[in-house]
Amino acid sequence: MRRSPSRSALVPVLLAAVAATGPLLRGQDVLLGAQRIVIADGTELDDGRVLLRQGKVAYVGAEIPAEARTRARRVDYGAATVVPGFVLATATLGQDQDLAERALPFTPDLRAAEAFDPWHEDLLALPQYGITAVGLSPASANVAGGLAALVKPGRERGALGPDLFVALSLIAPARTAERPPSSLMGVVDLLRSAFEAVRTGLATGPDAAVLREAMQTTRPVFVHADTFAELNAALDLARDFGLRLVLVGATEARKVLPRLVQQQAGLVLGSLSPEARLEQLTLPVALAEAGVAFGFGGSPARMRLSAALAVHHGLDRRTALQALTRGPADLLEQAAAIGSLRQGSAADFVVFRGDPLDLGSALVATWIDGELVHGEAPTTRGEAEPTAAAGVR
Amino acid sequence: MRIPFQRLIPLVCLLGALAGPAHCQEPTPEPTPAPVPEVTTPAPETPPEPTPRRRPRRPAVVIEAGTVHPVAGPAIADGVVVIRGERIVGIGKRGEVEVPENAVVRSFPTGHAYPGLVDAATDAFTDSALRGDAGLDAGDALADVLLRRHDREDELARAGITTAYVTLDTPALLRGQGAIVRPTGSGFVLWEGHERAGLGLRLTNGAAPGHALQRQQQFDAADALFEGLDEYRKTLTDHEEALTKYRKEFDEYLTWHRNKQPKEGDAAGAKPTTTAEPAPEPPKTDTAPRTEPGEGGRRRRGGPPRDGAAELLAALENLFAAAPQDPPKQDPKPAPADAAAPEQPADGTKKPDESKEGPKRPSYPKAPAQNPQKDVLLRVLDGELPLRVEAHRADELRAALRLQETRTIPVMVVERAHGADKVADQLALHGIPAVLTDVLPDSLPPVYEDFDPTTLPAQLQRAGVAFAIASGSGRRADVLRLMAATAIGGGLDADAALRAITLTPAEILGVAGDTGSLAVGKFGDVLVCDRPLFQSDCRVLLVLGKGRAEYEAN
């Protein structure tokens, strides 16, 4: 009589089977469901479905083929709200020392991607705040810091795609007595001279190549500027050299609002604080009313709080959510890939128990490229378990 | 004893000027000198009784709201709150609650009515100089220095806050006595009887870098504050006993001298017998030495009781005693040789010793040295004043627990308490509530990166620790409800979050009988919003404080 295999012998076999099917599971379509799914600004699904395939949004709502529906793995969050993952347009993620060449003020060709550490704890913490993509940027300690890169949290991911914007800085950290320039006028003169040399063809080399791209508007320019003088200087440079300008910080943006509208400049706001002055807390409302494109930035832990404070002081919810998702993606010129759940976008999304702009809505889960990286995944309709199958971090 | 004439005139004048009707005495007519005219002051005309002014009665106020959230009970759909005067007289479902005639009805069909919020810790109504004052001590009362207008606009009423405890976050070890205020549309009013509602103690170095030994020094310094209080209390008690004994002895002294028999042969100018009542007890006026230490934060230095009548009588007695004695009249008949011994009565009893001078005048007991700080600390030990301890880390909280245990402090509240989750069971066991002011994400300095302020309220709820969520600053008054919302996002129940900014802080402040929930008998403190309180775009429509509108949206 044949003897049946013992239980202990079956365990390694099962484990091997699970390991072998892991890639298959990861490759399997995912049918995402929730009571409310925000696809993009102005497009929402009530009790809708989104089909995810190979890390991207394949189909939305009624467009999902019936056959795909049946074959897909169902992930249904029940009464939750699903929104696109938040995009942090510019950040150094705690790597300021490695993202600024302090001995030299002008290094526009240095690449932040070459200092990217996918294991950095600040990067790994982003999903708990709902952030799924970041513009890793050179620090503001250089007048021309270099080229930013789009990165996503996750140990197996590196910099994605080509370099993003070129980072310039007019604020105090870029002006130091340790090396020139040490004043705002010195900084502005340095930049003007550099751009002028490129325009007249006198400058060559990788530095000049980056500035040429900026002047040809093939690469946006993110400029750190806070005060009225700094903002004006940045706007003057953009006007004189045809730059596609995005201002970072812009604490006194209200004072240059007409110019922002006229020159169609974008803004990445710093973190809003409850102790901030009222004019700062109502700045998003003023920008929205003026039609200025902006996104919330600053501290990753405070992005959602900034949006909630803006709503608290009169910003409408739709604009606030856009300023967390599609808005910064537009500023990075990456809206085709991130910031929404349209067909073809990356399957980056965040699940909340309620509206994400209400601080009482707990963050349930964060997915990046179709994989769960933080939180809970439901096993049956509406129920979540603390540890999920393959893909959980 | 014969009183010289020249001493009588000023005495009579003094009597006429100082003595009231109870002490008015008819002078005995002198045979020789002319009678001194009495100086009497004409009795003032009795003013006519003022007609009592009748204050116009405020009409009752009725708040109708789509949802009424009493806090102490379940939410009421389509509810009403009826307020008469300052207090709630009815609450319930519309149609089931009697509405007074001529009541002013405010209707908010889709609105939400809540109790006025209670902020358990704020620095509102203090200026920057006070907030940075490192020289405060226990004797300082913040109620004496609060400002309606200063370097910052604190609009607590606009944020829906109708009760707040004002305290300071200064580097001082003892931060003075906090005050409970009632924010109004124009500033605030002090809550009568709660002007000194807690004593602040700093048991932390905060985010400043330091090590455990440094913190231990701070703990020891805090514990040392309570050293010697028993001895100090004893000196106060001994002084009270000595005062009582003094009063008794002084009464005996006065009584003896009043009842003293005049000597045989004294002239008619002997002191007239009086029918004055015994010296009255020193009146318990504000000028009397305070029996309750710490009252008002400072004590008047001790001294003799300032009572006019007793003082006058004592002065008279001293004067008579000091008056020069007239030489005894020469007896024309020499005493018999065998009359050395005084004549004794025939019945065998002995005559009283005429040379006895009676009891000595007692000395007023010297008051002990004043120590306002110790007076306040004694109030803390007696449970009259809560001790509010700022402690951040778990070791600081344990030090607070040790302090409470070793010094038997009846009422203690911990503030900030970032590491409270690690000692939650101890806090629950000792019944020590927590006031949390750092609940928003990323609200702690980097040195506290291991603490998660957003989930702490939920952890304390699970452990059974009472806690309040407070703004901590007048600048954050507007986001008090967002802080509570953040706690919900961290796992706290919505009901518990609402309680943490209403009824629980009221209980911590000792005013839960008057505010903190919508209930009959409590103050008409009502907050009306256009949507649920914890939504980010919730807008405050109306704030009532004791039934009066303190804020109303346009």
Side-chain angles (χ1 to χ4, degrees), chain B residues 457-458 461-462 467 484 487-500 534:
Chain B
Q461 182 194 19
R462 284 193 288 273
F467 64 92
I488 297 174
L492 185 66
D493 295 339
D495 290 341
L498 178 59
R499 206 176 194 283
F534 298 129

Side-chain angles (χ1 to χ4, degrees), chain A residues 274-275 299 301-302 305 308-309 311-313 317 357-360 362, chain B residues 440-443 475-476 478-479 481-482 485-486 488-489 535-537:
Chain A
E275 294 90 357
S299 162
R302 284 201 168 216
L305 173 63
L309 284 172
V311 170
H312 185 67
H313 286 90
R317 288 174 178 263
L357 295 168
D358 291 328
L359 296 175
Chain B
L440 293 176
D442 202 32
S443 57
R475 301 177 78 171
R476 288 199 294 266
D478 189 43
V479 296
R481 51 190 193 272
L482 290 187
T486 303
I488 297 174
Q535 289 189 8
S536 296
D537 47 1

